[in-house]
Amino acid sequence: MFMISRSNLADLNGKLESRGARLVAVSKTQPPAAILPLYEAGLRLFGENRVQELLEKQSALPQDVEWHLIGHLQRNKVRSIAPFVAMIHSVDSERLLEEVHRQADKIGRTIPVLLQVHIAQEESKFGWSAAELELWLASGQWKQYPNAQIHGLMGMATFTDNRDQVRMEFRSLRQLFERLNADVFAQADAFCECSMGMSGDWEIAVEEGATLVRIGSLLFGERA
Ligand SMILES: *Cc1c(COP(=O)(O)O)cnc(C)c1O
């Protein structure tokens, strides 16, 4: 089994820290036995993209892991993760935001969320366009859902070898973040996260202002 070496992990973490970014170790498809060594090396933020898998690992692994849901989330699955999920990166509609608020409110908690923005050229069913999101946030509707606390934005760049394109896409997300931070969320201290960058493009993302990078295969090896 491939696993990043301790020294390479320390190196990666050092680079991220010096830039003010945190590592979310994307453990999807990896069994608990593969995740535990990274936990023991000090990592605490882990990301999953499927609810069922997340639930299984949450009960199998130490309780102080901070689980981040990074994949598309159906509304009927929010309830099962609401008690423990540390952050949901993939809130892509008002209806989902409302449901996260509702389930969090029921159990007396506030769940940190990121709004997913569609920045890639590829077609995608998920995520707001920057223009749509700005309009909708300006309407103030999001204030109806305080238990889904908006901590920032998440985006995925186009899957391409064109580094300039990837950079421009990350830059556009960061610029959107800056505009919102200066305007809609000017009074909201919690709005501070830009989740962007994966194994292939995290360095560009960090240069462009990522605060959370979601890295899987670089840590665990290629997924089957
Ligand atoms: C799988 C996944 C990642 C990590 O991908 P790697 O290329 O393995 O680093 C990051 N973000 C999301 C949303 C993912 O689904």
Side-chain angles (χ1 to χ4, degrees):
M1 184 169 28
F2 171 91
M3 178 74 63
I4 190 170
S5 70
R6 285 235 174 185
S7 65
N8 286 349
L9 179 61
D11 197 45
L12 173 62
N13 255 327
K15 281 183 186 153
L16 293 174
E17 256 168 47
S18 72
R19 290 281 196 159
R22 292 184 296 155
L23 173 61
V24 179
V26 176
S27 50
K28 64 188 185 194
T29 78
Q30 305 296 338
I35 301 172
L36 207 50
L38 287 178
Y39 175 88
E40 282 161 355
L43 298 195
R44 289 296 177 272
L45 277 54
F46 288 87
E48 290 284 334
N49 67 340
R50 293 219 165 91
V51 166
Q52 191 52 42
E53 221 180 306
L54 173 56
L55 291 171
E56 285 162 17
K57 291 176 194 175
Q58 193 266 337
S59 58
L61 285 155
Q63 294 304 296
D64 63 341
V65 169
E66 292 179 37
W67 292 105
H68 289 221
L69 198 280
I70 61 171
H72 181 63
L73 176 59
Q74 288 172 316
R75 278 179 300 138
N76 62 8
K77 304 223 169 123
V78 173
R79 190 163 68 102
S80 63
I81 60 170
F84 68 87
V85 72
M87 183 174 279
I88 300 171
H89 290 226
S90 43
V91 170
D92 60 359
S93 69
E94 178 172 359
R95 293 173 79 202
L96 179 58
L97 188 74
E98 177 183 16
E99 181 62 8
V100 173
H101 162 74
R102 215 168 67 84
Q103 296 299 340
D105 187 32
K106 272 210 288 196
I107 56 173
R109 78 165 288 226
T110 297
I111 299 177
V113 304
L114 305 179
L115 304 177
Q116 185 172 350
V117 185
H118 182 233
I119 53 171
Q121 240 162 37
E122 292 144 349
E123 288 282 313
S124 166
K125 289 176 288 186
F126 307 126
W128 275 280
S129 74
E132 272 171 353
L133 183 63
E134 275 192 288
L135 263 180
W136 179 71
L137 287 172
S139 77
Q141 303 261 74
W142 55 276
K143 293 178 186 164
Q144 298 174 269
Y145 317 117
N147 294 54
Q149 189 176 39
I150 300 170
H151 279 229
L153 306 178
M154 184 273 241
M156 268 185 282
T158 305
F159 188 70
T160 172
D161 291 335
N162 184 340
R163 317 282 288 173
D164 293 335
Q165 184 181 345
V166 169
R167 184 178 296 281
M168 291 320 294
E169 290 171 358
F170 287 149
R171 189 168 294 176
S172 74
L173 187 69
R174 181 70 203 195
Q175 286 169 345
L176 175 60
F177 170 86
E178 299 288 350
R179 287 200 299 279
L180 294 171
N181 197 31
D183 180 15
V184 176
F185 294 108
Q187 309 304 325
D189 290 342
F191 192 80
C192 63
E193 304 285 9
C194 238
S195 169
M196 56 189 195
M198 321 199 322
S199 291
D201 54 21
W202 68 269
E203 285 167 297
I204 303 174
V206 166
E207 284 166 12
E208 296 301 329
T211 64
L212 289 167
V213 295
R214 310 176 310 270
I215 294 184
S217 43
L218 200 65
L219 301 172
F220 292 100
E222 293 298 327
R223 284 177 295 277

